[in-house]
Structure formats: C-alpha cells, structure tokens
Amino acid sequence: AKISDIRKKLIYSEKVYTKLTKHVRHWPQFTCLNTAFKKGDKDPVIGVIKKQLTLLKIMRNQSITDTNSDLFDQALETGIKAFQRRHSLDSDGIIGHQTCMQLNISPQIRIKSIQQSIMQFDNLKSQWGNHYIMVNLPTFTLLAVHNDQIEIMQPVIVGSKNRPTPISTYPVQNIVLNPTWRVPISIFVKDKLSKVLADPTYLERGN
C-alpha cells in the first residue's frame, strides 16, 4: 500500500458524498440515547437506520421496504459491521452511542470533514520527506513509510476525545525497543481508579 492511496480514498469519498447530496436533501436522523440496538431487536428507529445504510449503498433497497423493516435482522447486522469498519469503530454489529452519532452525520458535514483532511494532508506531507513515521489518529494506526510505500502498519493507542493526542511533527531521535511502561498517575486517577473501586479484582484480572 502507498501513503498517496489515503489521499485518493479521501478524494473518492468526497465525490461519493457530493453525489449523494444531489439526491438527498435531508439526511434521515434518529435520537441517540443510551439504549443500544442489536440483532433481534424491533423498533421504529431500525427502519431509519436501514434507510441510512441504503442511501450509503451499504444495504440493498429491499431491506427498508419489506414487512420487517423495523426488525434488526442479519442483513442489518452485516451492514452495521461494514459501516463500523469504514468509520474505525468496533465492528461488533451493535448500534451503540458512537455508531449512532456516526450514522447521523449528514453527507454535507462529511464533505467538510473530508476537505479539511485533504487540506491537512497536503500541508503536512511537504514536511515529511521520504522516510517518516505517521500516526493516523482516527484509525488508531501507526504507519512507517519509505518513498511513499507503507512498509510497517500496526495498531497504537491514542488519546480519548476529552484528552486527545496532540497533532505534531518532529524528527525521530531514537527508538526504544521493549520499553518499560507504567500507567501514568493521570490515567490511573481519571480512567482506572473508578473501575478499581467498583471491582476489587479489576487489577488482578487485567494483569
């Protein structure tokens, strides 16, 4: 794979969503609650979700016209998993809050986000040179690139939405193999302490 392929995919996605806006003036919406929907559930919201996935060409038209349009069936689970993979979500086939939020993003908003990504990509690429390591924050992926060719790709952990990983560019000065790592105090207090208090076996089970 090549790093330039990322830009090509962005441009292709922009064209797809632009074409979609010409046919869909108002994007179907449903309220994102704490309730999660999974296969076997039945709710009027399911029909809206099927319509969204049909417009995105992830599902076929017949899925929203049959008598069980409100049923979370196998076809919808398959479609949701495909949608989740496309948007770097856990592909569990369950419509939770994050998946709901992504489903409700209109094509117009998608286009603005894609255009911003293309602009950011072009502005930063001139600083990278021929050999560099890039972390794609939205996809939790590290890429090691040599002459536009992606030679290493591996998952990484990035910051949360409330404490995001900062976007920065700097030269690699050294690489530590198998480093010693301990949970930082800030992460333990903000992310782990409540889990430890709720479950005394949490630390032992997580090794």
Side-chain angles (χ1 to χ4, degrees):
K2 296 182 178 180
I3 199 72
S4 55
D5 292 340
I6 296 176
R7 191 181 190 281
K8 292 178 182 177
K9 289 180 180 178
L10 288 170
I11 293 174
Y12 174 77
S13 295
E14 182 185 11
K15 291 179 180 178
V16 170
Y17 282 113
T18 299
K19 184 178 180 180
L20 186 57
T21 58
K22 295 178 180 179
H23 302 286
V24 182
R25 182 168 297 180
H26 301 291
W27 187 246
Q29 298 278 317
F30 64 100
T31 303
C32 295
L33 303 173
N34 292 328
T35 304
F37 295 101
K38 60 184 183 301
K39 188 170 70 172
D41 291 343
K42 194 167 187 178
D43 192 281
V45 164
I46 304 300
V48 178
I49 297 169
K50 287 184 175 181
K51 186 174 183 180
Q52 290 174 330
L53 294 183
T54 300
L55 291 170
L56 292 171
K57 298 190 182 304
I58 295 177
M59 293 186 68
R60 293 181 294 178
N61 284 322
Q62 67 186 48
S63 299
I64 59 173
T65 57
D66 62 23
T67 55
N68 291 318
S69 62
D70 292 349
L71 176 66
F72 197 134
D73 51 18
Q74 181 61 53
L76 178 58
E77 184 183 60
T78 301
I80 286 295
K81 286 182 177 180
F83 178 87
Q84 289 170 328
R85 287 191 296 269
R86 180 184 296 184
H87 295 284
S88 303
L89 300 167
D90 291 335
S91 56
D92 54 9
I94 298 173
I95 305 171
H97 188 75
Q98 289 297 322
T99 299
C100 171
M101 296 292 287
Q102 289 292 328
L103 285 166
N104 279 337
I105 295 178
S106 69
Q108 291 83 357
I109 299 298
R110 290 279 183 206
I111 291 170
K112 290 182 181 179
S113 179
I114 291 169
Q115 290 173 341
Q116 184 179 7
S117 294
I118 293 173
M119 186 182 303
Q120 189 177 58
F121 185 92
D122 291 341
N123 290 339
L124 291 175
K125 195 173 188 308
S126 61
Q127 306 174 32
W128 295 341
N130 294 325
H131 317 279
Y132 56 90
I133 295 172
M134 180 180 74
V135 176
N136 189 337
L137 298 178
T139 61
F140 308 95
T141 308
L142 178 145
L143 308 172
V145 182
H146 174 64
N147 290 334
D148 195 47
Q149 194 72 30
I150 299 174
E151 298 192 343
I152 298 175
M153 179 184 295
Q154 64 183 50
V156 293
I157 296 174
V158 302
S160 63
K161 185 176 181 180
N162 294 330
R163 282 171 285 147
T165 299
I167 297 176
S168 58
T169 302
Y170 47 85
V172 175
Q173 297 177 333
N174 58 71
I175 296 177
V176 180
L177 299 177
N178 300 320
T180 299
W181 189 86
R182 288 182 171 84
V183 179
I185 294 298
S186 60
I187 291 179
F188 178 77
V189 171
K190 294 177 181 179
D191 299 335
K192 302 297 182 181
L193 187 56
S194 61
K195 297 179 180 179
V196 173
L197 293 174
D199 179 6
T201 66
Y202 174 79
L203 294 177
E204 185 178 358
R205 288 189 296 102
N207 294 315

